[in-house]
């Protein structure tokens, strides 16, 4: 008999205490931080679900690699190990380290971007969009229709709308589209996976018009595991083989190692085009560093290389995807509305359905985020009208399309009892939902206001 319980595929060698606070203390802390969890000191948080980026726990082998790191300025042994591992997964010819994902994006779009150009994607992540727009180009999201409906359960809600892509290329002209991207998994669309068939079909369209296809590969291993579990023909393939096939349809990739490389800092650009790789390396030297360290220490390159070996382990991925799914299942069973099915790295609570009586201009997502902190010291993040709201010319709020609260799950950090505690806290907030109040903004910066905004509860 195969046991039903999927256990953490590791034992714990080093622990980091978390600090307990009382509800009274949290009331003061929350008020002092202007009811904005971004401004709470991490030490005052019990369970921190702000992001899965750069928050992974490293393994003993990664820490050993940190000691082994070769800090030579040029030609470091750690670079060659890093390069070999990245090549084994991506099969790409030119591997360029960067200090994180957005640095790879900045270099790439500084070279291929510029005014009058267009970059389609299933959904651009915000730094990708920002780097494209900063170069003067336009970033375009062409997500398939099912991906836009939180309540529909489907296997691959991250898929590109291939028909729309082809129509878009015909409309704008292939010569104005330097490359097309697919983000795996689709972070901004709820961490939903993209199928192999969709990557293949996107590649066919790109090939027909001579447009290179790039993967935004931050969560390539989680995506590979979803393909293994959900797509016909992949059940008996290893996550590594599936990842290799995913990359085989791409001409390049950008990567934030802070996600699926299980490290706290790092990234890379992987390319097949020699001329483009040369241009990227030249710019890298100006902005990041010599091509064999790219803004990282040798020890960081060792940790990334080892993390990439560990992340494609099937037991790790089974545990990872299952632990997020477990949280989602429990929340659904008690009636909490979430984006379904759960994605790879986070659960998204649908604040509109959770708090139907709080209108967008009183920020229902912010209300839930504050209550989770007060109730249990849990830190989540609003992804709704606080983050994406805009104003019309009369100063009236134009709300975001969705009002969400993201619970991002750091990799290998929390155990099942942390998750069970979290479920109890969310259930308590949900049971008390009729007493929750909205918020107004008392201070906001002109750009990216969610990071520093101050709020006031509407009592
Ligand atoms: C995190 C992320 C990035 C940017 O990476 P950083 O390391 O944070 O700069 C780009 N794309 C996606 C899909 C991401 O999740």
């Amino acid at each position: 008999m195969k046991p039903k319980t999927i256990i953490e595929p590791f034992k714990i060698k080093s622990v980091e205490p978390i600090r307990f606070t009382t509800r009274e203390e949290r009331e003061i802390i929350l008020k002092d931080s202007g009811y904005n969890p971004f401004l709470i000191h991490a030490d005052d948080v019990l369970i921190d679900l702000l992001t899965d980026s750069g928050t992974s726990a490293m393994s003993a082998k990664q820490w050993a690699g940190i000691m082994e790191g070769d800090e030579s300025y040029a030609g470091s042994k750690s670079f060659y190990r890093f390069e070999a591992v990245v090549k084994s997964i991506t099969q790409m010819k030119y591997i360029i380290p960067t200090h994180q994902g957005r640095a790879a994006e900045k270099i790439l779009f500084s070279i291929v971007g510029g005014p009058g150009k267009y970059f389609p994607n299933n959904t651009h992540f915000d730094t990708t969009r920002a780097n494209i727009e900063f170069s003067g180009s336009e970033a375009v999201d062409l997500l398939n229709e099912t991906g836009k409906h939180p309540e529909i359960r489907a296997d691959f809600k991250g898929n590109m709308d291939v028909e729309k892509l082809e129509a878009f290329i015909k409309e704008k002209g292939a010569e104005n589209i330097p490359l097309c991207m697919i983000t795996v998994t689709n972070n901004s669309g709820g961490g939903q996976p993209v199928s192999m068939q969709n990557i293949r079909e996107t590649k066919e369209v790109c090939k027909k018009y001579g447009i290179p296809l790039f993967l935004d590969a931050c969560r390539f291993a989680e995506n590979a595991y979803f393909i293994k579990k959900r797509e016909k023909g992949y059940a008996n393939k290893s996550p590594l083989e599936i990842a290799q096939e995913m990359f085989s349809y791409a001409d390049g990739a950008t990567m934030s190692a802070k996600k699926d490389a299980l490290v706290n800092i790092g990234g890379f650009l992987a390319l097949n085009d020699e001329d483009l790789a040369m241009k990227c390396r030249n710019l890298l030297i100006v902005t990041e560093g010599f091509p064999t360290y790219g803004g990282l220490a040798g020890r960081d390159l060792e940790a990334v290389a080892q993390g990439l070996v560990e992340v494609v382990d099937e037991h790790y991925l089974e545990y990872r995807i299952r632990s997020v799914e477990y949280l989602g299942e429990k929340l659904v069973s008690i009636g909490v509305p979430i984006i379904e099915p759960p994605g790879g790295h986070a659960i998204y609570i649908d604040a509109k359905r959770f708090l139907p009586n709080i209108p967008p201009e009183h920020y229902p997502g912010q209300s839930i985020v504050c209550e989770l902190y007060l109730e249990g010291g849990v830190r989540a993040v609003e992804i709704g009208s606080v983050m994406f709201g805009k104003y019309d010319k009369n100063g009236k709020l134009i709300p975001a399309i969705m009002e969400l609260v993201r619970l991002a799950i750091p990799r290998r950090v929390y155990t099942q009892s942390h998750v069970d505690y979290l479920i109890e806290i969310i259930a308590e907030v949900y049971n008390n939902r009729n007493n929750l109040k909205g918020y107004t903004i008392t201070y906001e910066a002109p750009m990216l206001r969610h990071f520093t905004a101050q709020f006031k509860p509407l009592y």
Side-chain angles (χ1 to χ4, degrees):
M1 182 201 87
K2 190 174 184 270
K4 278 211 300 291
T5 305
I6 292 161
I7 60 170
E8 285 85 359
F10 49 80
K11 51 186 180 171
I12 296 166
K13 200 185 200 81
S14 176
V15 298
E16 181 180 354
I18 48 179
R19 204 171 78 82
F20 290 83
T21 48
T22 63
R23 184 170 180 115
E24 290 70 35
E25 285 170 331
R26 290 195 293 276
E27 279 169 4
I28 295 166
I29 291 164
L30 189 63
K31 186 157 179 275
D32 287 350
S33 57
Y35 298 92
N36 184 348
F38 274 107
L39 303 177
I40 298 175
H41 292 203
D43 204 31
D44 292 331
V45 175
L46 190 66
I47 307 259
D48 202 346
L49 308 179
L50 195 62
T51 178
D52 67 318
S53 177
T55 52
S56 297
M58 291 208 292
S59 67
K61 276 202 176 152
Q62 283 178 296
W63 283 109
I66 294 264
M67 282 307 296
E68 292 271 344
D70 173 4
E71 304 304 340
S72 304
Y73 190 94
S76 144
K77 158 174 125 252
S78 301
F79 170 75
Y80 292 109
R81 179 170 182 223
F82 161 86
E83 185 190 41
V85 174
V86 178
K87 275 190 176 172
S88 74
I89 297 168
T90 65
Q91 321 272 304
M92 289 196 199
K93 294 194 191 109
Y94 307 100
I95 310 300
I96 300 172
T98 58
H99 81 276
Q100 59 184 89
R102 71 196 68 185
E105 293 167 351
K106 169 76 181 153
I107 288 169
L108 179 64
F109 293 112
S110 298
I111 292 165
V112 303
K117 306 219 167 101
Y118 300 88
F119 293 94
N121 200 333
N122 46 358
T123 313
H124 285 284
F125 181 65
D126 48 16
T127 61
T128 321
R129 172 175 288 280
N131 275 303
I132 289 170
E133 291 174 354
F134 189 75
S135 83
S137 305
E138 215 173 292
V140 186
D141 294 339
L142 300 174
L143 184 65
N144 77 97
E145 191 55 35
T146 17
K148 298 177 192 165
H149 298 275
E151 68 291 349
I152 299 177
R153 282 193 78 94
D155 284 344
F156 292 103
K157 289 173 78 175
N159 281 356
M160 174 81 86
D161 188 327
V162 182
E163 275 174 30
K164 270 204 192 142
L165 174 66
E166 183 155 17
F168 183 81
I169 296 171
K170 284 185 182 153
E171 184 197 325
K172 301 295 181 192
E175 67 283 7
N176 297 316
I177 305 176
L179 59 87
C180 170
M181 279 191 123
I182 296 188
T183 304
V184 292
T185 58
N186 188 24
N187 182 5
S188 303
Q192 299 292 326
V194 179
S195 70
M196 193 71 87
Q197 189 186 342
N198 188 252
I199 298 175
R200 212 180 292 127
E201 286 172 2
T202 304
K203 173 65 182 179
E204 276 162 24
V205 170
C206 287
K207 203 167 157 193
K208 185 167 156 194
Y209 295 92
I211 297 170
L213 176 64
F214 273 58
L215 291 185
D216 179 339
C218 298
R219 296 175 183 79
F220 75 94
E222 290 172 5
N223 201 85
Y225 190 73
F226 278 118
I227 289 176
K228 180 177 171 75
K229 295 312 268 190
R230 295 181 182 176
E231 191 162 350
K232 212 169 141 245
Y234 290 93
N236 295 323
K237 296 214 158 119
S238 72
L240 177 61
E241 288 168 323
I242 297 171
Q244 286 165 336
E245 186 182 336
M246 284 163 53
F247 282 106
S248 75
Y249 302 118
D251 304 283
T254 56
M255 171 86 185
S256 167
K258 300 173 74 171
K259 285 64 174 253
D260 267 354
L262 301 172
V263 294
N264 309 117
I265 196 76
F268 60 80
L269 195 52
L271 301 165
N272 271 335
D273 183 306
E274 187 180 359
D275 182 52
L276 180 59
M278 207 164 71
K279 286 181 182 150
C280 288
R281 277 190 181 133
N282 289 339
L283 188 53
L284 182 88
I285 294 175
V286 180
T287 60
E288 292 276 293
F290 193 73
T292 60
Y293 72 83
L296 294 168
R299 54 179 170 270
D300 298 324
L301 294 168
E302 284 286 342
V304 172
Q306 181 59 30
L308 287 171
V309 170
E310 293 172 13
V311 80
V312 291
D313 175 71
E314 199 164 330
H315 291 292
Y316 162 76
L317 285 168
E318 179 182 45
Y319 140 79
R320 168 72 179 161
I321 300 302
R322 177 61 196 149
S323 54
V324 176
E325 183 185 58
Y326 172 84
L327 171 60
E329 263 171 20
K330 294 277 166 153
L331 294 181
V332 168
S333 77
I334 54 177
V336 176
I338 63 166
I339 293 191
E340 294 204 62
H345 68 287
I347 293 293
Y348 293 72
I349 296 175
D350 186 347
K352 248 187 220 174
R353 283 188 285 153
F354 194 112
L355 294 175
N357 298 328
I358 297 184
E361 54 274 21
H362 294 158
Y363 307 113
Q366 195 67 19
S367 177
I368 295 172
V369 162
C370 287
E371 208 59 26
L372 288 173
Y373 181 70
L374 286 177
E375 190 61 42
V378 172
R379 177 154 71 172
V381 63
E382 194 262 16
I383 301 198
S385 292
V386 173
M387 194 177 270
F388 296 125
K390 297 199 172 95
Y391 294 107
D392 68 12
K393 58 182 189 306
N394 302 317
K396 192 172 151 28
L397 181 81
I398 308 167
I401 297 164
M402 292 195 262
E403 302 293 339
L404 304 173
V405 171
R406 186 179 77 178
L407 308 163
I409 313 298
R411 295 170 178 79
R412 304 192 293 208
V413 170
Y414 295 115
T415 65
Q416 185 170 346
S417 54
H418 290 114
V419 174
D420 286 330
Y421 168 89
L422 175 65
I423 291 159
E424 280 179 40
I425 297 300
I426 297 170
E428 189 59 32
V429 172
Y430 188 61
N431 294 337
N432 190 33
R433 64 190 179 281
N434 293 331
N435 299 320
L436 263 58
K437 300 286 186 292
Y439 283 77
T440 55
I441 294 182
T442 56
Y443 162 79
E444 62 187 290
M447 275 171 67
L448 297 172
R449 64 177 184 170
H450 55 284
F451 289 120
T452 54
Q454 304 267 309
F455 299 84
K456 189 166 69 94
L458 291 167
Y459 292 119

